[in-house]
């Protein structure tokens, strides 16, 4: 039987897109406490099922597919620009295909304004009316209002007309930034994208006998399985090591490893890869919010996916991408690197940010290890001394020196120079992931 939390999520999923919900109403409809209703609504918001807008409330929205993540809903636009809704609330769940800045003559503006777009414009009432008539939503900048008949038209067309106190340029920059952030998110692969669902994977029940492990082993040639209780919640893991010398009639729950490490489908692939290395795990069960088994992910699945990601072109650019792009090996010496300090790499004082400084040291160390050991590193400890601030447009020389390297462990000393003066020093200890 589903928990109250799951029942609320199922109820929210059954609601029409655009439907408004509240904690009180959910609590009353499903006969649950307001606390339970609140927690479930927050979870629904994290899952992209609803969106909460100030002065409007919580609205059921369409969950985005991964390939559609660069499109924003009007509800998200309102949150981005700290705006308020003047009319057409029922259309807040709709997705905008493009935005048009209304800084031109009316007829020219209308040539670009089409159904599904968002017109960003000042207090030009005629433009508001024409855009709504064409099927486009309107965002009024500068904190201006509009006429009541325009608000009624927005309600009738179910197209939002919104107002924000920011100017047009700032609003366009904010929306662009939000789309860009979503593109970066799009590239982050989650375990949910690659795991094997439970109906296609093998698992055991706690009350099964060891004999069942041998049967599964014959069918699957695997040796590691999640163990679930009668409600299919993960309670343990069992491997060939656990069953050595045990009788075939022994219950699984007597020999399994209890409280195993589990992850949810929204856990990033990189996190799971690191965890598998640290803990020496071959298989991780994937569970839902109620700890029910959804599937499993193996070390092979993770490594294969990580290799595919490395081959894909980047769309949005993270700070790590900026660092990686700026770091070049010096000609004739693969163990010394140079980097140019760009504006993106600086802090509010115009000097190299500490985080980027650390990222440069880590990336240079990683490349040295790749050249020598043919493996990637997972940083365990990094001690950094920032000796002198580094100005924008400086050209740094980074010298990582491998002090010690075992099969799964490495120690690296790093020195960073600017114009032949040392500006930073670090000692990095890392575990190695064999490719």
């Amino acid at each position: 039987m589903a928990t109250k939390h799951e029942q609320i999520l199922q109820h929210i999923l059954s609601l029409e897109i655009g439907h408004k919900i509240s904690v009180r109403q959910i609590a009353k409809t499903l006969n649950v406490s307001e606390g339970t209703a609140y927690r479930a609504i927050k979870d629904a918001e994290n899952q992209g099922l609803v969106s909460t807008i100030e002065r409007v409330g919580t609205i059921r929205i369409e969950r985005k597919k991964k390939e559609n993540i660069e499109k924003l809903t009007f509800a998200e636009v309102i949150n981005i620009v700290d705006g308020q809704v003047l009319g057409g609330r029922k259309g807040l769940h709709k997705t905008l295909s493009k935005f048009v800045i209304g800084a031109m003559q009316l007829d020219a503006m209308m040539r670009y304004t089409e159904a599904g777009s968002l017109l960003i414009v000042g207090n030009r009432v005629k433009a508001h009316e024409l855009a709504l008539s064409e099927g486009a939503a309107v965002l009024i900048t500068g904190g201006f209002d509009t006429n009541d008949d325009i608000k009624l038209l927005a309600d009738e067309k179910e197209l939002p007309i919104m107002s924000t106190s920011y100017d047009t340029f700032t609003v366009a920059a904010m929306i662009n930034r939000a789309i860009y952030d979503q593109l970066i998110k799009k590239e982050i692969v989650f375990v949910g994208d690659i795991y094997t669902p439970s109906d296609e994977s093998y698992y055991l029940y706690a009350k099964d006998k060891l004999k069942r492990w041998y049967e599964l082993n014959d069918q699957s040639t695997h040796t590691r399985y999640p163990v679930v209780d009668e409600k299919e919640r993960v309670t343990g893991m069992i491997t060939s090591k656990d069953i050595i010398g045990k009788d075939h009639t022994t219950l699984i729950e007597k020999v399994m490893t209890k409280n195993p490490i589990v992850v949810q489908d929204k856990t990033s692939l990189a996190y799971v890869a690191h965890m598998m290395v640290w803990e020496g795990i071959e298989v991780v069960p994937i569970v839902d919010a109620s700890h029910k088994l959804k599937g499993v992910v193996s070390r092979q699945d993770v490594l294969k996916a990580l290799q595919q990601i490395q081959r894909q072109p980047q769309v949005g650019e993270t700070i790590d991408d900026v660092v990686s792009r700026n770091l070049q090996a010096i000609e004739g010496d693969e163990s010394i690197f140079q980097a140019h300090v760009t504006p993106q790499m600086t802090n509010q004082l115009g000097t190299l940010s500490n985080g980027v400084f650390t990222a440069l040291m880590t990336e240079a160390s990683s490349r040295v290890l790749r050249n020598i050991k043919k493996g990637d590193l997972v940083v365990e400890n990094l001690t950094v001394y920032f000796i002198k601030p580094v100005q924008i447009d400086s050209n740094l020389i980074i010298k990582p020196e491998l002090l010690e390297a075992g099969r799964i462990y490495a120690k690296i000393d790093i020195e960073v120079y600017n114009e032949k003066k040392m500006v930073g020093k670090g000692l990095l200890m890392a575990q190695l992931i064999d490719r």
Side-chain angles (χ1 to χ4, degrees), residues 97-219:
S97 53
K98 67 172 189 177
F99 63 88
V100 179
I101 295 174
M104 51 193 108
Q105 293 295 325
L106 213 53
D107 56 342
M109 202 190 301
M110 286 308 119
R111 277 206 299 275
Y112 295 101
T113 309
E114 57 194 48
S117 57
L118 172 70
L119 177 67
I120 301 170
V121 69
N123 59 338
R124 298 169 70 179
V125 177
K126 192 67 188 160
H128 304 167
E129 186 185 349
L130 285 171
L132 290 167
S133 306
E134 289 292 326
V138 179
L139 176 59
I140 307 167
T141 57
F144 293 107
D145 202 342
T146 191
N147 297 352
D148 288 344
D149 55 335
I150 304 288
K151 293 176 190 176
L152 288 170
L153 177 64
D155 287 339
E156 185 189 308
K157 295 262 187 189
E158 293 191 359
L159 284 167
I161 186 158
M162 306 165 279
S163 175
T164 174
S165 55
Y166 294 111
D167 63 87
T168 305
F169 176 80
T170 306
V171 163
M174 288 164 105
I175 294 173
N176 251 334
R177 180 70 247 177
I179 292 172
Y180 196 62
D181 285 349
Q182 298 225 15
L183 283 173
I184 290 171
K185 275 188 202 168
K186 181 181 177 180
E187 291 161 21
I188 298 170
V189 178
F190 296 106
V191 179
D193 299 322
I194 65 156
Y195 75 95
T196 307
S198 56
D199 54 0
E200 293 172 32
S201 52
Y202 297 91
Y203 56 93
L204 291 156
Y205 286 91
K207 298 293 180 193
D208 282 341
K209 291 183 175 155
L210 268 191
K211 184 166 153 275
R212 180 76 185 124
W213 183 92
Y214 287 98
E215 287 167 10
L216 282 193
N217 186 230
D218 289 340
Q219 287 173 38

Side-chain angles (χ1 to χ4, degrees), residues 81-96:
V81 301
D82 300 329
Q84 60 178 352
V85 184
L86 305 176
R89 276 160 206 255
K90 286 189 176 171
L92 281 168
H93 65 277
K94 292 176 182 171
T95 307
L96 73 147

Side-chain angles (χ1 to χ4, degrees), residues 384-398:
V384 181
Y385 297 94
F386 303 106
I387 297 164
K388 282 193 170 90
V390 178
Q391 298 300 318
I392 194 166
D393 282 334
S394 297
N395 289 308
L396 298 177
I397 299 293
I398 300 161

Side-chain angles (χ1 to χ4, degrees), residues 322-342 345 352 359-361 363-365 367-368 393-400 414-419:
V322 174
V323 167
S324 189
R325 197 186 63 230
N326 273 299
L327 195 70
Q328 306 291 335
I330 284 179
E331 218 171 300
D333 193 339
E334 289 290 304
S335 64
I336 300 178
F337 302 87
Q338 56 189 1
H340 180 71
V341 180
T342 66
M345 295 159 76
L352 182 65
L360 283 166
M361 288 183 164
E363 179 63 22
S365 304
R367 290 195 195 174
V368 161
D393 282 334
S394 297
N395 289 308
L396 298 177
I397 299 293
I398 300 161
K399 297 181 177 176
I414 311 131
E415 292 180 347
V416 183
Y417 294 88
N418 179 23
E419 294 175 354

